[in-house]
Amino acid sequence: MRILFVHNNFPGQYARIVRHLKTLKHIDMLSGSLATNKQPAVINRVGYKPHRDAGEKTHPALRYTEGAVIRGQAVYSAFMNIQKKGWNPDIMLSHSGFGDGLFLKDLWPKAKYMPYLEWYFHSYGSDASFLDHGAPKKPNTELNIRMKNTAILHDLAAMDWGQCPTEYQKSQYPTIFHDRISVLHDGVDTEFFSPDDNTIFTVGDLAFRRGDPLVTYIARGMEPYRGFPQFMEAVARLQVERPDAHVIVIGEDKTAYGAKREDGKTYREWALENLTLDESRIHFLGRQPLEVLRDALRVSAAHVYLTVPFVLSWSMMEAMSAGALIVGSDTDPVREIITDGENGLLVPFFEPDVLATRLAEILADPDRYTPLRERARALMLERYDMNDLTQQYLNLIERVASGKASGSDC
């Protein structure tokens, strides 16, 4: 079977399945990604590069779509020679939303197409309206958000089948497509992200062990989408109540999702300037390799994961697998995985006082929450283990490629 993967930053979400497929002799794989992609080429890769950006005179609501078309054109052009040489995939997998897979069906109309469906945009009812509490948006904002779905809708219309990582993310897509979308998570490496009570995590001259009053926070960027301002407000309150508490923050000082601050400052700069914080007990480690993330989670007394109604981060489930106690936001994507008081704790997103109180309670008696940690780990082993899900993924790929996918795969 021949499989084509297209992802602007390949392997991205396809990393686990590609590693699995590489062990199978009957699988022939090829990938495409932006020429600027610096990720290791785990399989043969074709680079593509858009020849220009969207035009400044293009209608603002169509600039995102024009950019997607230009990127799709770059993919089409890059693979024309591959097609002419007779390499024909049985199935094509592409990360939807940016235009990379827009024209794959035009190159290979007989091949099956299964996009990775990550997010469908709405002006109200999910991420775009959450932080402003559903206040009416300016008309141009509404237009821009709706039109961002144009490339996604083309993928939905062209696909033979779709894959979505969580039920909540699937729920954002128009219901007319639901009977051709499978919910299948990327999986968690439960062997790597495993508990180890003997772990010692060092930061400078400090050494942290399981049982120490340590709070962790991990996110791609320090931003409102992942509740960073509320987290830092909670930290300021926690430090007053627990002078021995330390906090580790892993992630970049940037805004990855949503709007940046109008004053040009980062949210870390805002926090350090506006909140009363003991900076000697807050350790910003920046971007770190997975080994550092894992070991921080292994010794964490409480791991805070806050998110608006949006794409669920891998880090929350990796934290559960590593035996960390999740204190998560009481929002839809988190509630799909965390049951309050059963395998983690939920707090209101916009109430840092409640978060601070809950963290103080945990630090005062961490052993009380051991059963929650154990049940969180058990859930990852039972439903989200990478080895099980990659086999399910392969089964789905084979069924879609052979035209045998049906409603039972949803």
Side-chain angles (χ1 to χ4, degrees):
M1 180 170 58
R2 285 182 169 179
I3 306 175
L4 172 65
F5 292 94
V6 179
H7 190 296
N8 59 7
N9 195 35
F10 186 83
Q13 288 88 346
Y14 296 125
R16 292 172 175 83
I17 186 61
V18 168
R19 284 200 300 269
H20 179 65
L21 294 175
K22 282 183 68 177
T23 66
L24 306 178
K25 294 182 179 180
H26 70 287
I27 302 293
D28 178 15
M29 294 184 288
L30 181 63
S31 69
S33 67
L34 285 172
T36 54
N37 179 13
K38 298 180 181 179
Q39 298 295 322
V42 293
I43 59 175
N44 289 336
R45 183 167 68 192
V46 174
Y48 53 87
K49 184 178 181 180
H51 67 282
R52 66 174 178 86
D53 295 328
E56 293 183 5
K57 294 183 178 180
T58 301
H59 190 290
L62 289 173
R63 286 175 189 161
Y64 187 89
T65 300
E66 184 181 16
V69 171
I70 293 170
R71 182 180 289 190
Q73 180 184 20
V75 173
Y76 184 95
S77 299
F79 279 96
M80 281 182 66
N81 288 333
I82 303 295
Q83 189 252 18
K84 289 178 180 178
K85 291 178 181 179
W87 193 90
N88 298 305
D90 297 295
I91 186 169
M92 307 175 292
L93 285 73
S94 177
H95 186 219
S96 180
F98 303 99
D100 304 75
L102 266 180
F103 307 115
L104 291 179
K105 270 285 194 177
D106 297 285
L107 273 173
W108 290 289
K110 293 183 179 180
K112 301 298 183 183
Y113 181 43
M114 186 170 74
Y116 184 101
L117 303 169
E118 189 168 35
W119 193 245
Y120 192 86
F121 299 93
H122 296 270
S123 293
Y124 302 100
S126 59
D127 63 316
S129 62
F130 186 79
L131 294 172
D132 58 14
H133 304 280
K137 300 184 179 301
K138 296 178 181 179
N140 284 344
T141 302
E142 293 177 339
L143 296 179
N144 290 341
I145 291 174
R146 179 171 292 279
M147 294 305 294
K148 284 185 76 172
N149 290 317
T150 303
I152 300 171
L153 286 165
H154 276 284
D155 277 343
L156 291 167
M159 72 182 187
D160 296 277
W161 205 261
Q163 177 215 348
C164 197
T166 69
E167 293 286 354
Y168 174 68
Q169 287 164 254
K170 177 179 175 178
S171 74
Q172 299 302 296
Y173 287 85
T175 56
I176 192 173
F177 298 107
H178 283 193
D179 63 354
R180 289 191 294 127
I181 299 175
S182 291
V183 173
L184 184 61
H185 194 268
D186 314 320
V188 177
D189 188 343
T190 58
E191 294 180 10
F192 180 84
F193 286 100
S194 58
D196 184 351
D197 291 343
N198 296 317
T199 298
I200 300 175
F201 187 81
T202 59
V203 179
D205 296 331
L206 300 172
F208 298 101
R209 298 170 176 81
R210 172 58 64 86
D212 290 340
L214 177 67
V215 175
T216 53
Y217 174 97
I218 297 173
R220 183 179 176 187
M222 303 176 199
E223 57 195 338
Y225 257 58
R226 300 309 189 190
F228 181 76
Q230 288 78 13
F231 172 69
M232 293 304 294
E233 289 179 32
V235 168
R237 292 162 173 76
L238 178 66
Q239 286 188 330
V240 173
E241 186 166 345
R242 290 294 302 247
D244 59 339
H246 283 258
V247 174
I248 288 175
V249 177
I250 296 177
E252 297 182 79
D253 187 17
K254 68 177 186 179
T255 298
Y257 304 108
K260 297 181 180 180
R261 292 180 59 85
E262 292 182 357
D263 59 11
K265 295 180 180 179
T266 66
Y267 282 93
R268 173 183 169 178
E269 292 170 339
W270 164 84
L272 296 178
E273 291 176 7
N274 292 276
L275 301 175
T276 302
L277 296 163
D278 179 354
E279 295 184 39
S280 69
R281 292 190 284 134
I282 305 177
H283 312 284
F284 293 97
L285 303 187
R287 187 174 181 177
Q288 292 290 332
L290 290 178
E291 290 82 0
V292 175
L293 271 68
R294 178 198 61 193
D295 290 351
L297 293 167
R298 283 173 167 174
V299 302
S300 172
H303 179 69
V304 177
Y305 179 75
L306 308 177
T307 184
V308 305
F310 188 54
V311 173
L312 187 70
S313 304
W314 287 345
S315 64
M316 190 193 84
M317 299 170 76
E318 290 168 344
M320 296 172 71
S321 181
L325 173 65
I326 304 297
V327 184
S329 56
D330 191 10
T331 49
D332 288 319
V334 181
R335 283 196 296 267
E336 182 173 336
I337 310 297
I338 298 288
T339 300
D340 186 38
E342 175 68 22
N343 58 359
L345 300 171
L346 299 179
V347 296
F349 183 96
F350 292 108
E351 298 184 28
D353 284 344
V354 175
L355 173 58
T357 299
R358 185 54 58 90
L359 291 174
E361 292 171 351
I362 295 167
L363 298 186
D365 189 7
D367 291 341
R368 174 186 172 189
Y369 302 92
T370 298
L372 278 68
R373 299 172 184 270
E374 293 175 345
R375 286 192 287 267
R377 166 74 176 169
L379 178 65
M380 294 301 104
L381 290 170
E382 179 184 350
R383 289 175 49 191
Y384 296 100
D385 181 78
M386 175 184 69
N387 295 319
D388 294 336
L389 292 186
T390 49
Q391 183 58 50
Q392 292 181 36
Y393 204 163
L394 173 58
N395 294 341
L396 179 63
I397 289 172
E398 290 177 335
R399 288 196 297 275
V400 175
S402 64
K404 295 179 181 178
S406 65
S408 62
D409 293 307
C410 294

